[in-house]
Amino acid sequence: MVSGTGSVVTGVLALQQHAVDFAAVLVHEGHRFSEHYFWHQTEDKYVVLLAEFFLRRSNRTTVSRYLPDFLAAYPEPESLIMANPDDVVEAATWAGFHSRTLRLPEILRVFYSRDDWDADSLLELPYIGEYAANGIALYVLGQPSLPVDGNVRRV
């Protein structure tokens, strides 16, 4: 062992622990301040997955207002997976993106076809970026992850 290596390793491990502790505080505070969004109050993975998908291009106020109607039309993943794509687009015109919504049944089909997702592998899904992947990992899969909005990242 090289002299001083043990202290370097100890320092790195301490730094990693501080990072984990800080991430836990951020997640806790995020939960505390996001309690008024209904998709953070449910354990229904489908609801959270849809919310995170629509939040990619819509704001929280819009998603809060229109997602319940979308869920009334497509209450279960199977109903959306089997739906006519044009009907899905019509039901989600409020979200403001046509091509993404056309792909939603496919995204759900792939998502529900396996159970080994994490934030990195979620990036394989069409139209799922880093923010949505981390949000899905955190809120849908219960994995430690930190969704950082693009506006925050730029700061």
Side-chain angles (χ1 to χ4, degrees):
M1 177 184 269
V2 176
S3 177
T5 303
S7 62
V8 170
V9 170
T10 301
V12 168
L13 292 175
L15 184 59
Q16 287 175 334
Q17 185 57 51
H18 287 303
V20 168
D21 293 343
F22 180 67
V25 168
L26 288 176
V27 168
H28 171 76
E29 291 300 306
H31 284 298
R32 190 166 69 99
F33 287 103
S34 65
E35 290 179 2
H36 58 284
Y37 298 114
F38 72 90
W39 55 87
H40 291 164
Q41 302 301 310
T42 182
E43 293 186 17
D44 186 334
K45 292 178 180 186
Y46 174 62
V47 171
V48 179
L49 182 67
L50 287 178
E52 292 298 329
F53 175 82
F54 285 122
L55 284 168
R56 177 77 174 129
R57 289 284 183 207
S58 300
N59 64 47
R60 294 182 187 285
T61 302
T62 301
V63 173
S64 293
R65 181 174 177 195
Y66 294 105
L67 184 56
D69 293 338
F70 188 83
L71 287 165
Y74 303 103
E76 301 292 330
E78 298 79 17
S79 62
L80 186 52
I81 289 169
M82 301 303 295
N84 178 318
D86 293 331
D87 293 339
V88 175
V89 169
E90 179 66 29
T93 56
W94 56 269
F97 44 84
H98 179 271
S99 61
R100 290 176 189 276
T101 308
L102 276 173
R103 302 287 299 274
L104 190 52
E106 175 191 350
I107 292 168
L108 288 174
R109 191 176 311 106
V110 173
F111 179 79
Y112 283 103
S113 71
R114 54 186 268 203
D115 60 2
D116 61 341
W117 295 105
D118 61 23
D120 290 332
S121 63
L122 286 164
L123 292 170
E124 299 168 15
L125 293 171
Y127 299 109
I128 299 296
E130 190 175 334
Y131 177 81
N134 284 301
I136 292 165
L138 177 63
Y139 296 116
V140 176
L141 305 174
Q143 298 172 356
S145 187
L146 187 59
V148 178
D149 180 83
N151 295 319
V152 172
R153 187 177 303 280
R154 280 192 291 275
V155 172

